[in-house]
Amino acid sequence: MALKSTIFKAELQLADLDRSHFGDYSLTIARHPSETDERMMVRLLAFALNASETLTFGRGLSAEDEADLQELDATGSIERWIDVGLPDEKNIRRACNRSRHVMVLSYGGRAAEIWWQQTAGKVSGQKNLRVLALTADEGKALAALAERNMRLQCTIQDGLIWLGGEQGHVELAPKVLQAPAE
């Protein structure tokens, strides 16, 4: 018998001063049985960094050819493709060809550093790709905030992120590994 996803609920109050975007979001997040709290919370962070009324969570680990989060435009084309973790460079290139904007939010400490060393040269020509990295400590701190029912406040300013709830708060400073030319 297959294990079912665990459902998490998050009430997110967002103040993104970098994008002048403010909003309250009621999110339902399905955590795959093999997914860790850290990965789920990194997906939640990726939502906060790109929040909009049309941004949705993908089917997650059970759908390899789908984004962890995506935003479609009015025509059904993929406007924004967001993956978390350490995606294969072929998947990154495919996403860049299918979407207007692609973001990868990597985490995992030393494994993420090795992944980027091996991947950077292969995706450096992608003009619509943004790659951010969290440290191992930042990922662990995010995981500590995970609860089945979360009430979180998030402020983003000058690339710094403050995320907090009843379990405490964290300050994050994702490192920009690659960014589209402005």
Side-chain angles (χ1 to χ4, degrees):
M1 182 167 89
L3 296 174
K4 294 184 178 182
S5 293
T6 303
I7 302 300
F8 286 74
K9 301 277 188 176
E11 295 294 326
L12 177 66
Q13 293 179 333
L14 177 67
D16 186 339
L17 302 171
D18 291 349
R19 295 188 304 140
S20 297
H21 181 85
F22 306 89
D24 294 331
Y25 296 92
S26 294
L27 305 172
T28 300
I29 307 163
R31 191 184 81 193
H32 190 274
S34 65
E35 184 175 33
T36 63
D37 282 347
E38 181 179 17
R39 186 178 194 285
M40 181 194 64
M41 292 302 290
V42 172
R43 286 195 298 138
L44 181 69
L45 175 63
F47 181 92
L49 289 170
N50 298 278
S52 76
E53 295 301 324
T54 55
L55 184 65
T56 59
F57 289 96
R59 291 184 292 170
L61 295 175
S62 61
E64 292 180 15
D65 62 336
E66 211 177 87
D68 288 314
L69 295 108
Q70 70 178 9
E71 182 174 13
L72 303 178
D73 66 15
T75 68
S77 296
I78 302 171
E79 176 71 20
R80 189 171 308 280
W81 179 295
I82 302 163
D83 275 334
V84 302
L86 313 175
D88 183 78
E89 52 93 8
K90 291 177 188 170
N91 292 338
I92 295 172
R93 285 199 316 266
R94 185 178 331 119
C96 288
N97 290 331
R98 293 176 62 188
S99 176
R100 189 177 229 182
H101 304 281
V102 175
M103 184 181 98
V104 174
L105 182 53
S106 67
Y107 67 96
R110 183 70 183 136
E113 292 171 16
I114 293 169
W115 165 80
W116 184 242
Q117 289 171 357
Q118 296 171 345
T119 307
K122 299 173 184 174
V123 298
S124 62
Q126 302 299 325
K127 303 294 184 213
N128 59 340
L129 176 63
R130 180 177 187 79
V131 181
L132 303 176
L134 296 174
T135 66
D137 289 340
E138 289 173 326
K140 288 176 187 170
L142 271 176
L145 296 178
E147 292 183 280
R148 291 288 297 272
N149 291 297
M150 299 176 271
R151 296 177 79 69
L152 300 169
Q153 297 80 38
C154 182
T155 303
I156 302 169
Q157 183 176 15
D158 298 328
L160 294 176
I161 303 157
W162 294 274
L163 181 66
E166 294 172 4
Q167 294 291 355
H169 68 279
V170 297
E171 182 176 325
L172 309 166
K175 181 177 178 183
V176 178
L177 302 177
Q178 180 172 323
E182 298 278 329

